[in-house]
Amino acid sequence: MATSVVEMQAKSESKENLKLEVKRVIKASRQRVFDAWTRPETIRLWFAPGTSRVTDASLDAREGGAWRLAMTGGCGEEGLPDTNRVHAVTGRYTRVEPYDVLAFTWKSPANPDEESLVTIELKDVEDGTELTLTHERFLTVESRDRHLAGWSIVVPKLQEFFEKV
């Protein structure tokens, strides 16, 4: 199963705008990739880091619409797997241009004072769709780096999802 990471990097343009960018070619059409981000029945199948899984997905993919993903699993105390751990992330869609751009705020109980912004841009390329994920407006370098680690696991899972279907 060959995967090609075009780019994954943390960017520190300024303390006020800490951001990260992940680029990857997904072997699927822009429509299918966009739908994978906006349909609850599909996002449940691939969106969760590590051994976590999405147990509830509510996505109102229109500007101003709310979204929520609840995940279980991950690691608890001492890095051991914890299937009882529930983690929910929420936000609002700020830009919805079907098959081209999807932008949404990101809020997690792990850092309740931070509301960051995720932008997904999709572009046709020879082997499918180039996905560029930009996540910005972090309050700390540590938060940005944790999210970079998470996205570097989640985005490849999207590619793997399309390789299976």
Side-chain angles (χ1 to χ4, degrees):
M1 183 180 333
T3 59
S4 66
V5 176
V6 177
E7 180 179 355
M8 284 190 201
Q9 64 181 348
K11 297 182 174 184
S12 295
E13 293 179 353
S14 69
K15 180 71 174 160
E16 293 77 38
N17 192 22
L18 295 169
K19 67 181 179 178
L20 64 87
E21 185 175 272
V22 177
K23 286 188 178 189
R24 193 167 192 100
V25 173
I26 307 293
K27 293 184 179 184
S29 69
R30 284 183 304 133
Q31 180 176 352
R32 290 183 70 209
V33 173
F34 186 88
D35 289 349
W37 284 93
T38 58
R39 294 190 176 179
E41 67 275 12
T42 307
I43 204 166
R44 287 173 183 253
L45 301 174
W46 66 270
F47 189 105
T51 59
S52 298
R53 63 185 181 86
V54 175
T55 55
D56 184 44
S58 173
L59 309 171
D60 182 8
R62 62 185 172 85
E63 287 186 27
W67 68 271
R68 180 182 184 277
L69 295 176
M71 295 169 267
T72 59
C75 293
E77 303 265 335
E78 300 174 16
L80 299 173
D82 183 355
T83 57
N84 296 317
R85 182 174 170 246
V86 177
H87 178 80
V89 289
T90 61
R92 293 220 171 266
Y93 293 98
T94 61
R95 187 172 168 199
V96 180
E97 296 176 20
Y99 320 129
D100 294 320
V101 180
L102 184 67
F104 48 90
T105 60
W106 179 280
K107 197 152 179 70
S108 168
N111 196 350
D113 296 329
E114 180 176 84
E115 183 176 64
S116 54
L117 178 68
V118 176
T119 303
I120 308 293
E121 295 175 287
L122 305 174
K123 182 173 91 173
D124 288 327
V125 293
E126 186 175 324
D127 293 332
T129 300
E130 182 181 79
L131 178 146
T132 302
L133 181 149
T134 305
H135 196 159
E136 58 191 318
R137 299 186 189 163
F138 295 106
L139 293 180
T140 66
V141 171
E142 293 79 15
S143 178
R144 185 215 40 215
D145 292 350
R146 278 194 313 274
H147 284 86
L148 179 60
W151 288 122
S152 68
I153 296 168
V154 171
V155 172
K157 287 178 86 174
L158 174 62
Q159 183 171 12
E160 291 168 13
F161 167 76
F162 282 113
E163 289 173 358
K164 292 176 187 174
V165 293

